[in-house]
Amino acid sequence: MLKALRGMKDTLPPQNEKYLYFLEKCTEIVERYGFEFIETPILEDTKLFKRSVGESSDIVGKEMYQFIDKGENDVCLRPEGTAGVVRSFVENKFDRIGGINRFYYHGPMFRYERPQKGRFRQFHQFGVESFGVSNYLEDVNIILMAKTILDIFKINYTLHLNSLGCTTCMPPFRKKLTSYLNGVDGLCEDCLRRKDKNPIRVFDCKNSNCQELLKPAPRLNDNFCKVCEDDFEQILKLLKTMDIDYEVDPNLVRGLDYYSKTAFEFVSSDLGAQNAVAGGGRYDRLVELLDGRETPAIGFAIGVERVLEMIEVPKRERNGYYFGALCDEAIGSVFKEAQKQREKDRVIMAYSVKSLKNHLKAADKMGASYCAIIGEDELKNSVLWIKDLINKNEETREIE
Ligand code: HAM
């Protein structure tokens, strides 16, 4: 028997009602903040991810679904959504038109990771990307949006927050950190790789020996330029004003290379080892890095499977019609009336003739609000018999 690939799974009814409900609520919320839907291809040029997510990241280093297609193009299944949205933003010249552009998207992402609870090779993200605003108020707005979504679903989380500095404070800090790391013996292989490509990623290392070696390392938070320091302070102040709890986490560097300034993660203790429900941050350099005009930008993505694992959705209420025939002669009329009703409602029609009792049972099982029946008597009188399955009333309606 053929099976789905390791780390990939089907989304089946009735559980997928949760999935659809979650997307519906997310959409409702982000549209209130003025975000518009965007869809980009799942398959992109591998160079896109190398240049954005970055060569030092685990994603590009180890986890890409990368292959050469029949036209000899080096392509990759998207491991995340931001890079594709930025590529599209530049390709469609939004950067030249200028102004503010806010997008949201959802869909499957692919990372060749070791599957475990909450970690899949194909998973879904709901994400937002906002372009054209450098004001720190947008940072708080974006965090607030993610928080609003998680709150609607009553998810327990802690908001972890950090700033990763900008092009003024980052390069001298990088130098300082690299010279510290060059003097340290015993870093793991990943850290040695990161040291040369993007040294701040060493703070992301889970290896306890590396954590110990990094304790005396210089910290970005002590090396911010004035603008980064002020912006970060303003953000923390506004979060307090908005009664949003947070923890400043100097080790939070995110697993993707494109971030600058604000970086955040919502982490839940109700999940296992894979406890990040959502993550995001500012990436003011990325549009330029992908050949566009310098444009400030910020966004986040929520891991849909991780949220679904933790939530219950209200049971769907009864709705729609069930149509059935009591004799063969009635089938044509039932088919026609069902089609008419479908202009307004969800309608399921039984194709086989059954007794009234069995039709009522089937209508109940499919969660219909009404059971509509035509038998010999109804045909004679040109009526449709309808039973309201909620308040049990019966009525007849004239038909052609
Ligand atoms: P990320 O932190 O790599 O950020 O992923 C966002 C979320 O996707 C994670 O917090 C997690 O919930 C979920 N996720 C990641 N990997 C897996 C996996 N293997 N299985 C299940 N869920 C997973 C990004 O992808 C950025 N593009 C977010 C962003 C948008 N930053 C700015 N704009």
Side-chain angles (χ1 to χ4, degrees):
M1 192 185 21
L2 289 172
K3 289 191 169 172
L5 298 177
R6 193 161 126 78
M8 306 200 173
K9 62 185 175 104
D10 304 310
T11 313
L12 302 171
Q15 290 83 352
N16 60 7
E17 260 183 44
K18 257 193 200 182
Y19 174 73
L20 295 175
Y21 183 77
F22 178 69
L23 291 185
E24 191 184 308
K25 284 285 157 202
C26 288
T27 303
E28 199 179 304
I29 287 164
V30 302
E31 286 188 350
R32 276 189 227 160
Y33 287 76
F35 282 69
E36 294 174 295
F37 183 62
I38 187 170
E39 187 164 271
T40 61
I42 288 171
L43 204 57
E44 297 267 8
D45 190 320
T46 300
K47 283 200 283 296
L48 171 64
F49 302 110
K50 287 196 171 166
R51 278 168 62 183
S52 55
V53 176
E55 307 252 9
S56 84
S57 68
D58 286 351
I59 295 179
V60 170
K62 310 179 197 165
E63 298 166 1
M64 297 229 281
Y65 274 90
Q66 182 186 354
F67 59 96
I68 306 294
D69 74 5
K70 290 183 176 144
E72 299 292 311
N73 306 299
D74 187 349
V75 295
C76 188
L77 291 177
R78 64 181 182 195
E80 57 100 55
T82 311
V85 174
V86 175
R87 196 258 319 125
S88 170
F89 180 83
V90 175
E91 187 176 341
N92 292 292
K93 304 193 172 42
F94 284 98
D95 57 326
R96 286 165 190 273
I97 299 162
I100 300 171
N101 290 281
R102 296 185 170 108
F103 302 110
Y104 73 88
Y105 54 88
H106 47 78
M109 310 291 159
F110 303 82
R111 296 185 191 175
Y112 197 85
E113 296 187 83
R114 197 171 48 76
Q116 63 179 89
K117 189 174 179 294
R119 186 160 76 186
F120 305 97
R121 289 181 173 172
Q122 176 177 335
F123 60 98
H124 294 76
Q125 286 186 345
F126 184 95
V128 304
E129 312 295 348
S130 158
F131 296 93
V133 193
S134 57
N135 193 314
Y136 76 92
L137 293 176
E138 186 71 348
D139 301 41
V140 178
N141 221 24
I142 289 278
I143 292 172
L144 196 60
M145 245 164 68
K147 174 185 152 43
T148 306
I149 292 173
L150 300 181
D151 284 348
I152 283 197
F153 291 99
K154 301 194 170 52
I155 286 169
N156 277 324
Y157 58 77
T158 311
L159 165 61
H160 289 232
L161 205 62
N162 195 15
S163 171
L164 301 178
C166 66
T167 43
T168 308
C169 46
M170 198 58 157
F173 172 72
R174 241 183 246 259
K175 263 195 194 149
K176 215 167 166 179
L177 180 60
T178 309
S179 79
Y180 171 82
L181 296 174
N182 282 339
V184 171
D185 267 341
L187 288 171
C188 72
E189 257 180 45
D190 278 341
C191 282
L192 289 175
R193 187 165 55 89
R194 289 163 178 157
K195 179 171 73 98
D196 298 325
K197 290 188 170 155
N198 185 3
I200 67 154
R201 295 271 345 277
V202 295
F203 293 117
D204 203 23
C205 187
K206 306 286 178 280
N207 182 316
S208 53
N209 184 44
C210 292
Q211 288 290 344
E212 209 45 48
L213 292 170
L214 289 171
K215 272 188 182 155
R219 292 285 158 165
L220 183 59
N221 307 47
D222 305 322
N223 292 272
F224 283 150
C225 62
K226 183 85 179 82
V227 178
C228 284
E229 193 174 311
D230 286 352
D231 272 1
F232 197 46
E233 248 171 46
Q234 297 271 38
I235 289 169
L236 300 185
K237 205 167 132 198
L238 185 55
L239 287 174
K240 276 208 181 106
T241 308
M242 298 297 294
D243 285 329
I244 299 175
D245 294 333
Y246 59 80
E247 277 176 21
V248 173
D249 177 356
N251 278 342
L252 177 71
V253 291
R254 308 277 296 127
L256 308 96
D257 284 355
Y258 49 62
Y259 292 109
S260 53
K261 298 184 91 174
T262 313
F264 59 90
E265 256 172 25
F266 287 85
V267 170
S268 178
S269 54
D270 293 345
L271 290 167
Q274 299 305 314
N275 59 2
V277 196
R282 211 165 244 296
Y283 50 92
D284 290 345
R285 307 286 304 159
L286 186 56
V287 174
E288 213 182 350
L289 212 83
L290 296 179
D291 306 322
R293 284 196 184 153
E294 193 178 333
T295 309
I298 178 165
F300 70 75
I302 299 183
V304 176
E305 282 77 5
R306 293 190 190 169
V307 171
L308 297 190
E309 164 97 19
M310 292 186 281
I311 65 173
E312 292 298 328
V313 300
K315 240 182 130 219
R316 183 140 52 98
E317 288 177 8
R318 281 187 176 279
N319 76 82
Y321 279 74
Y322 171 98
F323 273 71
L326 297 180
C327 58
D328 284 334
E329 297 72 34
I331 286 191
S333 301
V334 168
F335 199 85
K336 191 167 179 184
E337 290 307 313
Q339 186 58 15
K340 267 199 226 160
Q341 195 70 42
R342 212 168 261 137
E343 287 167 16
K344 296 185 282 200
D345 293 296
R346 175 176 84 119
V347 173
I348 303 283
M349 179 188 162
Y351 292 156
S352 54
V353 168
K354 288 188 200 154
S355 68
L356 179 60
K357 196 174 147 205
N358 283 341
H359 275 315
L360 284 166
K361 250 195 217 163
D364 185 55
K365 197 169 165 209
M366 68 155 260
S369 301
Y370 300 95
C371 178
I373 299 291
I374 302 179
E376 277 175 22
D377 290 347
E378 286 75 22
L379 274 184
K380 236 184 265 160
N381 299 322
S382 298
V383 292
L384 178 70
W385 178 84
I386 301 170
K387 177 155 186 173
D388 183 329
L389 298 174
I390 299 168
N391 58 30
K392 313 292 176 205
N393 293 339
E394 294 171 21
E395 58 163 326
T396 52
R397 187 198 295 167
E398 277 187 27
I399 57 172
E400 273 170 43

